[in-house]
Amino acid sequence: MPELDTLLAVALAGFLLSILPGPSMLYILSRSVGQSRSAGLASALGLAFGGIALAVATALGLAAAFSAFDWLVPVWRIFGSLYLVWLGVGLIQEAGAESHTLIRAGHVRHRSFFSIIWQGIWVELLNPKTVLFFALFLPPFIDSGANGSVQTQLLILGILVPLTAIPCDLVVAWLGGTLSKFVNHQQKLRETLAWLGGLTLIAIAANLHLGFI
């Protein structure tokens, strides 16, 4: 079992990770604004499940794989940066197109509750920021002399990360549902939000590619 100070440090880091703009936050916002508040809450739930899956993968060897094979980190950074650039450019291209704007309620494909959860799981599993956080940030907090195996400590610390993200995700989902009433009737505001979202994703991609995180 990790020490209390370790749990608090990881919880704080996880919370800070959750409040930084990224693919997960933008996904919740687009679902909440584009479909409904309940859709945003479902996406937040899916992201939590995805985070737990990453915690299990880390405990089973994801972190060890990143440590053993140095080439995995730059490859994942490149893959992640290209993926985020693709998402960001897509948002910007759609900014001026009413019929394809991501956050417009009438044009976001409506999905079932469970479909949104499943999609949220994949969004989190493919989020390079989160994967690198699990693989590179958590292992230094492991105490080989503490009670419990390395795998158990990684699992506990890993599960703590998505749990600390839930409050922020719920707030984004709730605010997104509230904003939908205003956004869907203002083309200029929709375009501005789409541009901001796209540029944010591209900035995150540059950060990954340049190796700052």
Side-chain angles (χ1 to χ4, degrees), residues 68-200:
F69 304 101
D70 294 338
W71 55 269
L72 280 177
V73 174
V75 167
W76 188 259
R77 287 185 189 277
I78 293 173
F79 170 78
S81 65
L82 291 176
Y83 170 69
L84 292 179
V85 167
W86 179 75
L87 291 178
V89 171
L91 276 176
I92 293 174
Q93 288 179 335
E94 293 168 351
E98 273 201 29
S99 61
H100 298 289
T101 301
L102 178 64
I103 57 176
R104 189 178 182 206
H107 300 285
V108 173
R109 180 183 173 188
H110 284 231
R111 297 175 178 268
S112 68
F113 186 84
F114 291 105
S115 175
I116 294 172
I117 292 177
W118 183 247
Q119 189 179 61
I121 292 173
W122 280 107
V123 168
E124 190 70 350
L125 291 176
L126 296 175
N127 184 350
K129 181 179 71 171
T130 306
V131 173
L132 291 174
F133 181 89
F134 275 88
L136 303 179
F137 181 81
L138 292 183
F141 286 93
I142 300 304
D143 183 3
S144 58
N147 294 329
S149 65
V150 171
Q151 289 76 16
T152 300
Q153 294 182 63
L154 281 172
L155 182 60
I156 293 173
L157 295 177
I159 291 178
L160 188 60
V161 175
L163 292 180
T164 58
I166 290 177
C168 178
D169 291 345
L170 293 179
V171 169
V172 172
W174 185 267
L175 292 178
T178 302
L179 287 173
S180 64
K181 299 178 181 179
F182 304 98
V183 172
N184 292 324
H185 299 289
Q186 300 186 40
Q187 171 66 15
K188 188 64 177 179
L189 180 56
R190 292 200 307 273
E191 293 179 5
T192 300
L193 289 177
W195 269 91
L196 287 175
L199 291 176
T200 298

